[in-house]
Amino acid sequence: MKHRQTVDRATCPTAVRRTGMRAFVLTGPGAYEVRELPAPVAGPGEVVVDVERVGVCGTDAEFFTGAMAYLHQGHSAYPMRPGHEWAGRVAAVGDGVDPAWLGRRVMGDSMLGCGACRRCLRGRQHVCEQRREVGIRGGRPGALAEQLAVPASSLHALPDSVDAVLGALVEPGGNTLRAARAAAPAPGDRVLVLGPGTIGLLVAMFLRASGAEVHLMGTTESSLAFARSLGFEHAWTEDSVPDVPSDAAVDASNAASLPELALELVEPGGRRGSVDPRPLVAATVGLDEVGPVLAGERPAGSGPGPKIHVEP
């Protein structure tokens, strides 16, 4: 679909702004539409990004089913536009934003603090009481659209060596790197990762790069076989985990029983290189195919990886 374009000279002489765009919108539990919406405008301190790639996350699936706690706590409401793992190129900048951002390839933080409270001023905007979360909380539209408006302060520039696939994996990669560092493995330490999904496999990759001996525990043979194909030879089901202590454990699952199991498997006194996560992406789909993906369907021709990406 072609869009009429206008030059937004009030923002920047070289910026080109669309008047409309396509976006994926959740309208209720299990209900969705791909809508034609007004294109976003960069407000003061904001940029508009042409979205290149978006990752579909378990949080998005919880919004699709209606199970997401924010819906019941009043932090989120339908209709909503999900999508918080994204990469793209800056198309327009608002007042007060350095025009050097124009044309830059970027990704952005999901959690946007108020900027004025004690937590934000201490750099802890992710726990700000008034925070908004892109595509998740506070009515901030997400990236499952052709364009996205976000604060310039949330941007991180991507080097040319990081393509759109890797760019959209930076957000989950940052979370998992933090978890891997928290495990604090020394070379040769044995670390058990519970759950071989996207998050668990990313944690495992970072742990392996640090020199740890990584063990993965899962429930399905297909997920464990995929982990082995990535070079993780120690991949087990719960009833086949070797009876050897681990120096650390990372719970990357959503099973309520596993934190207790992790404590049993970690050695008393224990604690909870280069990584290429592109093999985790099983398929890339368009906006029209997002609904079935959130409903749990695998796109035709998908690879064995756990992550689905969207190219708006």
Side-chain angles (χ1 to χ4, degrees), residues 40-58:
V41 176
E46 291 187 332
V47 303
V48 170
V49 175
D50 287 333
V51 181
E52 295 177 341
R53 189 65 67 96
V54 189
V56 177
C57 174

Side-chain angles (χ1 to χ4, degrees), residues 127-190:
V127 290
C128 170
E129 283 286 344
Q130 305 303 318
R131 73 185 180 278
R132 302 173 78 190
E133 300 177 29
V134 176
I136 297 175
R137 173 178 164 137
R140 187 88 198 191
L144 281 175
E146 293 178 309
Q147 288 194 314
L148 170 72
V150 293
S153 59
S154 71
L155 297 179
H156 298 275
L158 297 175
D160 292 339
S161 60
V162 175
D163 60 17
V165 178
L166 289 175
L169 286 165
V170 170
E171 195 273 347
N175 292 335
T176 53
L177 177 60
R178 182 178 180 181
R181 285 175 172 171
D189 276 2
R190 184 184 298 113

